Amino acid sequence: MVYILLGEGFEEAEALVPADLLRRSGVEVALVGLEGHQVTGGHGITVQADLLLEEADPDRMEMLVLPGGLPGTTHLDASPEVDRWLRYASEKGIFVGAICAAPSVLGNRGLLDGRRAVSFPGFEPKGALICQDQGVVRDDQYITAKGAGVCLEFGLELISCLKGPEAAQRIKEGIQCQR
């Protein structure tokens, strides 16, 4: 199960594009509301979360994804529950994806210390080896991405982590992605 965490003010494309691509590849995905089932993104689009964070089962987690956006990233960073889930994923070697401002949440917890990462400019994660010339960077279990402009690449990399590069290539061809 992939859990995509939604805090009020999340960046809609950074959550929904990866969710769509992952589901197309046959991966089970749950949109997880931090504070309620109705979560409004930073551009006024309200999404119905599949479940609340307290309803999610960490033992089923294959991947945890943090979309960026403001103030969505601020809500993720301030949540003790998100902190607990990130630490659990880190200890268990579970994949963690973060895009745009959200890699800063990982950096604030020391999870990217000495690792290659990318983020939206101005939200560079503490302790990371910043690779701003790349759109998506994977370093071991952590996948980071620059922003909404690379949502497709981010989603495809998440698929590659879980199902292999061939599965990601099939989805890429199926959606007519030319990049």
Side-chain angles (χ1 to χ4, degrees):
M1 169 74 77
V2 174
Y3 293 119
I4 300 178
L5 305 184
L6 305 179
E8 285 292 320
F10 72 98
E11 173 61 53
E12 294 94 338
E14 295 169 1
L16 300 179
V17 170
D20 175 275
L21 295 176
L22 286 159
R23 286 181 178 174
R24 286 173 191 255
S25 74
V27 173
E28 191 175 3
V29 176
L31 298 173
V32 181
L34 291 188
E35 297 176 354
H37 285 284
Q38 298 283 317
V39 188
T40 302
H43 299 98
I45 300 171
T46 301
V47 172
Q48 175 71 33
D50 299 308
L51 47 95
L52 299 175
L53 189 53
E54 60 262 19
E55 298 169 335
D57 180 359
D59 292 328
R60 294 193 62 215
M61 180 173 42
E62 295 175 85
M63 180 180 282
L64 188 63
V65 178
L66 282 63
L70 292 174
T73 298
T74 306
H75 293 298
L76 294 173
D77 203 26
S79 168
E81 281 300 300
V82 171
D83 183 69
R84 186 175 67 80
W85 279 72
L86 284 169
R87 295 204 183 279
Y88 180 87
S90 179
E91 291 167 9
K92 299 285 185 180
I94 295 168
F95 290 113
V96 176
I99 184 169
C100 193
S104 67
V105 176
L106 306 181
N108 289 342
R109 285 153 181 79
L111 300 176
L112 297 177
D113 286 355
R115 297 183 184 277
R116 297 176 23 231
V118 67
S119 69
F120 192 85
F123 290 90
E124 291 82 3
K126 295 176 189 167
L129 306 172
I130 306 302
C131 304
Q132 288 294 41
D133 60 331
Q134 296 178 41
V136 179
V137 174
R138 177 179 174 195
D139 191 326
D140 193 32
Q141 76 194 77
Y142 299 100
I143 307 95
T144 55
K146 201 166 200 174
V150 296
C151 289
L152 285 171
E153 292 89 344
F154 180 60
L156 292 169
E157 184 60 30
L158 300 180
I159 293 168
S160 184
C161 289
L162 294 172
K163 299 197 81 160
E166 299 82 14
Q169 184 62 34
R170 281 193 299 279
I171 297 301
K172 181 178 179 179
E173 290 169 4
I175 63 169
Q176 298 297 298
C177 182
Q178 300 296 313
R179 297 186 219 180

